[in-house]
Amino acid sequence: MKDFIYSEISGKLAHLIKTEVLKAGERLPSVRMLCQEHGISMNTAKRVFLELEAQSLIESKPQSGYFVSRTAYRRLPLPAVSKPSTLPKHKEPADLIDRVYANMGNDKLTLFSVGAAVGSLLPQARLSKEIVHATRELKGAGANYENPQGNEKLRRMVAARALTWGGNLQEHELVTTSGGLNAIAYCLMALGKPGDTVAIESPCYPGILQLALSLGLKVLELPTHPETGILMEALKKALPKIDICLLVSNFNTPLGSCMPDENKQEAVRLLSSHGIPLIEDDVYGDLYFGTHRPKCCKAFDTEGNVLLCSSLSKTLAPGYRVGWVAPGRYKEKIMKQKLVHTIAGSSITQEAAANFLKSARYDNHLRHLRKTLQYNYRQYVDAIAEFFPEGTRTSRPQGGLALWVEFDKSIDAVELYELAMKQKISIAPGRMFTLQDQFNHCMRLCYGLPWTDDLQLKLKKTGKPCKDDKEITFINMQ
Amino acid sequence: MKDFIYSEISGKLAHLIKTEVLKAGERLPSVRMLCQEHGISMNTAKRVFLELEAQSLIESKPQSGYFVSRTAYRRLPLPAVSKPSTLPKHKEPADLIDRVYANMGNDKLTLFSVGAAVGSLLPQARLSKEIVHATRELKGAGANYENPQGNEKLRRMVAARALTWGGNLQEHELVTTSGGLNAIAYCLMALGKPGDTVAIESPCYPGILQLALSLGLKVLELPTHPETGILMEALKKALPKIDICLLVSNFNTPLGSCMPDENKQEAVRLLSSHGIPLIEDDVYGDLYFGTHRPKCCKAFDTEGNVLLCSSLSKTLAPGYRVGWVAPGRYKEKIMKQKLVHTIAGSSITQEAAANFLKSARYDNHLRHLRKTLQYNYRQYVDAIAEFFPEGTRTSRPQGGLALWVEFDKSIDAVELYELAMKQKISIAPGRMFTLQDQFNHCMRLCYGLPWTDDLQLKLKKTGKPCKDDKEITFINMQ
């Protein structure tokens, strides 16, 4: 009942903001006023504001209250729902991916193209202490082989956190991996054979596309909504044609879409009833902007048919290569893959990661990181609204690290990439995220960089050449 | 000329020992005497003794000189040259492998079955310091993604050590991996497709057998000599049938065989001229007992057709998961595999390993480890000669960690395994090392454990039941 009141009120306010009855910069009623007006508790009123803030519709100013955010006012239209071909086609954008990936780690470039939080947003000093501590605690045993299934403490900590996504796991149900992509690789190798078809969202993380192709799998890209993820109708239709389904259920890259609970539940049910395993990639799930973490498909899995993959690479320490999979009834197959490919994981980084998760520090860090990312996202959208050409559309991630930008069809994002590179800016052209001839007028911008005036200028430079004559604009710009 | 004199004299002395003209425990002429007798330099005379010691024919006693070793006196006959079927057959001993591998890390068992040096033989304290140092040196950057090709310093250090095996490498020619098996996995995935045939030595490390099968490759086991490795004639005959060749050229497990230089050179030439890539696994190469490190096949590779795989897991720190491959002309393919499977390696352990290799400590440690392993090996052979049944044969490794024991055909090594397990002893039955119906009367014993009276007792218990009535023997034994 309380849930109902809270969502009714936040829905009404959201409507007033979206229809510009409440305009950008205007103050909202205070928490106290909201209580009196609607006869609700302080807690419920606070939750209303937090929810609107999570949607980036309002922002709080210390000691002043809540205001309609600029972002909301300038809300850019959503990108189109993708419509990939229904036939698996393989035109791998390998050269493009290689070119963009080659920029990784180049500190002379502004890397809008790298889908991770930069080091300065991570608790580096604290992590270093954790490594030193783990090394001492292990008394030299860090040099020895780790348990092949994975560090036991780490598995226990990861299992304990399953509660946050509506799950229920025990340590023996987890296998650690060398990062999240490695977990997906084991799943695909364990479940698929060359010629099998794997269904994915479109657009999709290039690492997954390349991995699937390298294993000889056929990739079926499915229509995907920029806010709610894969279209359930499309998935349903595709069922007879697919052997494996791979979904990045929460704040996937590049769209930032998040599947609603009912879609998650339905996807699990459909796939399970057709005997199709679901590989779920949840590496961004902890990076929610809202009041609560989204659930995983795995939370609705009663038959062990979902293989939940995740890692600490997007939230804590990519350099540790700590990931895991909760493979449900496929555990033995996954263990076999791990054994034949690498035997065991690195002892010390697993131990250090386990200790970090055990302390309150991980949650503190996540709170801070989420706030920073949401702030960055808003700044990006404001800058795009100001500097990018009319008609530019952007996704509306409510978590994660990536913003999907769709231009007018006349704009070629690869050309844009080349122009940006001349200004020492790296972006990720849309064509990287598909095997088909689509998204040529799209790009992904990551907001895992600290927001600065310089970053704003770089965004401006990225968007400018589409507005005016390209070459001349760049030559005249600082 | 000097080389000729030295090998002539050591050959003569070896003959005297093997024919028991010089008996076990007898003192050899002093270095000085040898000089006078043969008119050679002190250095040449010393080299003669070192060579005989490397062959375990003599041993030095401090302040007393050199003596004919007991091992030599009791020299057990060599196991037979293997004769696997010429057809690729796949009867995977998966259950047996699972059972034996499950004992890994069980500190209630004596693990003759684990093919690695135990932690107490590794420089654990020093390695811990190296981790702490690397963590501080990286100033928090250990949390970040490492260079996808691998830590640059580590690659430089590994390249520098190529001189020790007759090679010539530069850092850009190396790709780091998560251990040696991971390197082999990338090679097999990059070069093979399901249905392709890979030729290997027989017997062979089970991890390689299982990896190849899991990738859908056919495995062709080739006849292998316990001292000189794969039979060149057999390899030559197999050429038209194979797509990839995988050789553990130096002190492989389980045989401990080491290919002579001329075989290495010939294998490289043959495979290259047939366009068949050679994956060379050299994880044991640094563990030589002799006066100099054996060469790698890669040293004879002028066309980039050899993919040299190695790691620090057998010599320094299995828990670091630090391995590498020098993939020759297949570098791009290997990089692609690494990128799609795991992006990058662990930052801190690579940095720490690089620093350790950079210092003199690695060579000091290796010297110590080699001495210990050779000592252990001699003790094992003595114990086997004393306690194991008549007719037991053993391999004669001149490096590495593994001893191959061949019993009379009436003895079933799996039964022996079960009897030993009742005594809390784990051995590796021969059937683990093949996909065919062979080696049922063989087992592998690893000598990477510190030698103690208890260990001797455990070896006695392992060999006893074959000598007498099995069950009764065990019941009556302490």
Side-chain angles (χ1 to χ4, degrees):
Chain A
M1 185 61 192
K2 216 167 139 197
D3 261 8
F4 175 72
I5 295 176
Y6 132 82
S7 70
E8 196 193 339
I9 300 171
S10 68
K12 274 182 188 168
L13 281 171
H15 185 72
L16 292 176
I17 295 168
K18 285 176 185 168
T19 54
E20 290 187 43
V21 176
L22 288 169
K23 290 201 189 335
E26 282 191 1
R27 186 199 301 268
L28 270 82
S30 69
V31 173
R32 193 171 301 272
M33 279 171 63
L34 208 68
C35 291
Q36 291 172 350
E37 227 168 85
H38 297 275
I40 56 178
S41 72
M42 287 285 275
N43 273 344
T44 307
K46 276 183 192 159
R47 205 170 151 199
V48 167
F49 287 123
L50 287 174
E51 180 58 33
L52 293 171
E53 195 179 15
Q55 292 173 40
S56 300
L57 291 170
I58 65 171
E59 43 195 318
S60 69
K61 291 184 187 168
Q63 266 100 47
S64 309
Y66 285 98
F67 295 81
V68 177
S69 66
R70 286 192 300 153
T71 319
Y73 177 59
R74 297 210 180 119
R75 195 124 217 187
L76 300 169
L78 269 179
V81 173
S82 67
K83 285 178 194 149
S85 157
T86 52
L87 300 167
K89 285 184 195 170
H90 292 172
K91 277 191 283 182
E92 192 185 353
D95 287 350
L96 184 59
I97 293 175
D98 287 350
R99 273 161 66 198
V100 178
Y101 274 30
N103 297 336
M104 232 173 107
N106 182 339
D107 53 17
K108 293 196 181 68
L109 300 176
T110 300
L111 294 168
F112 291 124
S113 55
V114 173
V118 297
S120 61
L121 299 185
L122 304 175
Q124 294 183 322
R126 188 62 241 175
L127 284 167
S128 293
K129 281 186 190 159
E130 215 64 87
I131 289 279
V132 172
H133 176 71
T135 304
R136 290 195 177 133
E137 193 187 47
L138 288 170
K139 291 198 182 105
N144 300 353
Y145 277 115
E146 182 53 275
N147 177 325
Q149 195 176 336
N151 179 293
E152 215 180 303
K153 203 196 296 177
L154 176 62
R155 286 187 281 122
R156 203 160 63 239
M157 291 304 122
V158 171
R161 294 189 69 83
L163 287 176
T164 65
W165 50 261
N168 184 4
L169 282 182
Q170 288 187 290
E171 64 213 62
H172 66 83
E173 296 173 287
L174 286 155
V175 178
T176 71
T177 60
S178 180
L181 190 57
N182 187 231
I184 296 174
Y186 289 156
C187 292
L188 287 176
M189 289 191 290
L191 303 175
K193 55 183 190 307
D196 281 358
T197 298
V198 54
I200 56 162
E201 292 132 345
S202 180
C204 172
Y205 170 51
I208 291 176
L209 297 175
Q210 292 200 305
L211 173 62
L213 291 191
S214 87
L215 297 173
L217 299 168
K218 286 183 195 150
V219 173
L220 181 61
E221 299 178 50
L222 291 179
T224 303
H225 187 281
E227 283 190 306
T228 55
I230 200 158
L231 296 195
M232 295 310 293
E233 268 316 302
L235 179 60
K236 211 177 286 178
K237 252 195 214 161
L239 288 172
K241 288 190 284 186
I242 65 180
D243 303 289
I244 301 171
C245 182
L246 195 169
L247 299 176
V248 188
S249 48
N250 297 321
F251 321 126
N252 67 359
T253 196
L255 283 182
S257 63
C258 181
M259 291 171 73
D261 280 356
E262 53 272 27
N263 288 15
K264 285 171 178 156
Q265 188 162 16
E266 175 71 356
V268 170
R269 195 190 61 75
L270 279 174
L271 292 164
S272 200
S273 69
H274 283 73
I276 301 165
L278 170 57
I279 302 170
E280 180 180 30
D281 179 4
D282 183 50
V283 283
Y284 305 103
D286 279 341
L287 301 177
Y288 55 99
F289 300 159
T291 48
H292 60 281
R293 193 201 193 286
K295 286 188 175 165
C296 289
C297 294
K298 182 80 180 170
F300 303 101
D301 177 31
T302 52
E303 297 176 35
N305 192 48
V306 178
L307 304 95
L308 176 69
C309 301
S310 195
S311 82
L312 297 178
S313 301
K314 302 302 177 189
T315 55
L316 190 67
Y320 282 19
R321 309 316 295 128
V322 168
W324 57 85
V325 49
R329 67 170 184 260
Y330 308 103
K331 185 181 139 191
E332 264 183 48
K333 288 186 175 201
I334 298 296
M335 265 310 293
K336 174 135 196 200
Q337 288 296 326
K338 186 175 178 186
L339 280 171
V340 302
H341 279 269
T342 178
I343 305 173
S346 158
S347 307
I348 290 165
T349 54
Q350 289 190 66
E351 179 77 14
N355 289 340
F356 199 95
L357 292 193
K358 203 177 167 189
S359 72
R361 284 188 203 104
Y362 185 55
D363 282 310
N364 287 340
H365 158 66
L366 281 181
R367 252 190 300 277
H368 181 73
L369 180 60
R370 287 196 295 259
K371 243 192 162 77
T372 307
L373 293 175
Q374 188 182 14
Y375 176 80
N376 289 358
Y377 155 59
R378 284 181 187 157
Q379 305 308 313
Y380 272 50
V381 173
D382 284 349
I384 289 167
E386 190 164 347
F387 304 124
F388 280 39
E390 291 292 321
T392 300
R393 296 159 175 264
T394 62
S395 60
R396 288 172 203 163
Q398 298 204 13
L401 289 155
L403 193 62
W404 184 244
V405 179
E406 183 180 308
F407 294 108
D408 181 90
K409 292 224 164 173
S410 65
I411 291 175
D412 178 350
V414 174
E415 251 175 64
L416 201 64
Y417 168 81
E418 279 154 12
L419 289 169
M421 278 297 281
K422 288 185 186 165
Q423 301 279 321
K424 304 212 174 296
I425 296 165
S426 175
I427 59 166
R431 184 61 180 82
M432 283 174 67
F433 303 91
T434 177
L435 301 174
Q436 304 188 3
D437 185 28
Q438 55 175 344
F439 309 135
N440 296 305
H441 59 306
C442 302
M443 68 172 176
R444 184 189 73 174
L445 295 176
C446 282
Y447 45 83
L449 307 166
W451 183 256
T452 59
D453 288 348
D454 182 60
L455 205 70
Q456 189 185 36
L457 181 67
K458 292 283 166 52
L459 268 181
K460 185 176 173 179
K461 287 185 181 179
T462 305
K464 259 295 180 201
C466 348
K467 246 179 168 161
D468 316 314
D469 182 274
K470 290 166 195 174
E471 293 294 353
I472 292 166
T473 311
F474 268 137
I475 290 163
N476 292 341
M477 270 171 74
Q478 262 207 323
Chain B
M1 186 59 191
K2 214 165 139 195
D3 261 9
F4 175 72
I5 295 176
Y6 131 81
S7 70
E8 198 194 335
I9 300 172
S10 67
K12 275 183 188 167
L13 280 171
H15 185 72
L16 292 176
I17 295 167
K18 285 176 185 168
T19 53
E20 291 186 42
V21 176
L22 288 169
K23 291 203 190 330
E26 280 190 2
R27 188 199 301 265
L28 270 82
S30 70
V31 174
R32 193 172 301 271
M33 278 172 62
L34 209 65
C35 292
Q36 291 172 350
E37 226 167 88
H38 297 274
I40 57 179
S41 71
M42 287 286 275
N43 274 343
T44 306
K46 276 183 192 158
R47 205 168 150 199
V48 166
F49 286 123
L50 286 174
E51 182 58 34
L52 293 171
E53 195 178 17
Q55 292 173 43
S56 300
L57 291 172
I58 64 172
E59 44 196 315
S60 69
K61 292 183 187 168
Q63 265 104 43
S64 308
Y66 285 98
F67 295 80
V68 176
S69 65
R70 286 194 298 154
T71 319
Y73 178 58
R74 298 216 178 114
R75 195 127 219 183
L76 300 168
L78 269 180
V81 173
S82 67
K83 284 180 195 149
S85 157
T86 53
L87 301 167
K89 285 184 198 170
H90 291 173
K91 279 191 282 183
E92 194 185 352
D95 287 349
L96 183 60
I97 293 175
D98 288 351
R99 273 163 66 199
V100 178
Y101 273 30
N103 298 336
M104 231 174 107
N106 184 339
D107 52 16
K108 292 196 182 66
L109 299 177
T110 300
L111 294 169
F112 290 124
S113 55
V114 173
V118 297
S120 61
L121 299 185
L122 304 175
Q124 294 183 323
R126 188 62 240 174
L127 283 167
S128 293
K129 282 186 189 159
E130 215 64 86
I131 288 279
V132 172
H133 176 71
T135 305
R136 292 195 175 132
E137 191 186 48
L138 289 171
K139 292 198 180 101
N144 300 353
Y145 277 116
E146 181 53 274
N147 177 326
Q149 195 176 336
N151 180 294
E152 214 180 305
K153 203 196 296 178
L154 176 62
R155 285 187 281 122
R156 203 161 62 241
M157 291 306 121
V158 171
R161 295 189 67 83
L163 286 177
T164 63
W165 51 260
N168 184 6
L169 281 181
Q170 289 188 286
E171 63 212 62
H172 66 82
E173 295 174 286
L174 286 154
V175 178
T176 71
T177 60
S178 179
L181 189 57
N182 187 230
I184 297 173
Y186 290 157
C187 292
L188 287 176
M189 289 193 289
L191 303 174
K193 55 182 190 307
D196 281 358
T197 298
V198 54
I200 57 162
E201 291 132 345
S202 182
C204 173
Y205 169 51
I208 291 175
L209 297 176
Q210 292 200 305
L211 173 62
L213 291 191
S214 87
L215 297 173
L217 298 168
K218 287 184 194 146
V219 173
L220 181 61
E221 299 178 50
L222 292 180
T224 303
H225 188 280
E227 283 190 305
T228 56
I230 200 157
L231 295 197
M232 296 311 292
E233 269 315 303
L235 178 61
K236 210 176 287 178
K237 252 197 219 161
L239 289 173
K241 289 191 283 187
I242 64 179
D243 303 289
I244 301 171
C245 182
L246 196 169
L247 299 176
V248 188
S249 47
N250 297 321
F251 321 125
N252 67 359
T253 196
L255 283 183
S257 63
C258 182
M259 290 170 73
D261 280 356
E262 52 274 23
N263 288 16
K264 285 171 178 156
Q265 188 162 17
E266 175 72 356
V268 170
R269 196 191 60 77
L270 279 174
L271 292 164
S272 200
S273 69
H274 283 73
I276 301 165
L278 170 58
I279 302 170
E280 180 180 29
D281 179 1
D282 183 48
V283 284
Y284 306 102
D286 278 341
L287 301 178
Y288 55 98
F289 300 158
T291 47
H292 59 283
R293 191 200 195 287
K295 287 189 176 166
C296 289
C297 293
K298 182 80 179 170
F300 303 101
D301 177 32
T302 53
E303 297 176 35
N305 193 48
V306 178
L307 304 96
L308 176 68
C309 301
S310 195
S311 82
L312 297 179
S313 301
K314 302 302 177 190
T315 54
L316 191 67
Y320 283 19
R321 310 313 298 129
V322 169
W324 57 84
V325 47
R329 67 169 184 259
Y330 308 102
K331 185 182 137 191
E332 266 184 45
K333 288 186 175 200
I334 297 297
M335 266 310 294
K336 175 134 195 200
Q337 289 296 327
K338 185 175 180 187
L339 279 171
V340 303
H341 279 269
T342 180
I343 305 173
S346 160
S347 307
I348 290 165
T349 53
Q350 288 188 64
E351 179 77 14
N355 289 340
F356 199 95
L357 292 194
K358 203 178 168 189
S359 71
R361 284 186 202 104
Y362 185 54
D363 282 311
N364 287 340
H365 157 65
L366 281 181
R367 252 189 301 276
H368 182 72
L369 180 59
R370 287 196 295 260
K371 243 191 161 77
T372 307
L373 292 176
Q374 188 182 14
Y375 176 79
N376 290 357
Y377 154 60
R378 285 183 189 155
Q379 306 308 313
Y380 274 48
V381 174
D382 284 349
I384 290 167
E386 189 163 347
F387 305 123
F388 280 38
E390 291 293 322
T392 301
R393 294 159 175 264
T394 63
S395 60
R396 288 172 204 162
Q398 299 206 13
L401 290 154
L403 193 62
W404 184 244
V405 179
E406 185 181 307
F407 295 106
D408 182 90
K409 291 223 166 174
S410 65
I411 292 176
D412 179 351
V414 175
E415 250 176 63
L416 201 63
Y417 168 81
E418 280 155 11
L419 288 169
M421 279 297 282
K422 289 185 186 164
Q423 302 279 320
K424 302 208 175 301
I425 297 164
S426 175
I427 59 166
R431 184 62 181 83
M432 285 175 66
F433 304 91
T434 177
L435 301 173
Q436 305 189 1
D437 185 27
Q438 55 176 344
F439 310 135
N440 297 306
H441 59 307
C442 302
M443 68 172 176
R444 185 190 71 174
L445 294 176
C446 281
Y447 46 84
L449 306 166
W451 182 255
T452 59
D453 287 349
D454 182 60
L455 204 71
Q456 189 186 37
L457 181 66
K458 292 283 164 52
L459 268 181
K460 185 175 174 179
K461 288 185 180 180
T462 305
K464 259 294 184 209
C466 347
K467 243 178 167 162
D468 316 315
D469 181 275
K470 289 166 194 172
E471 293 294 351
I472 293 166
T473 310
F474 269 135
I475 290 165
N476 292 343
M477 269 170 75
Q478 259 208 326

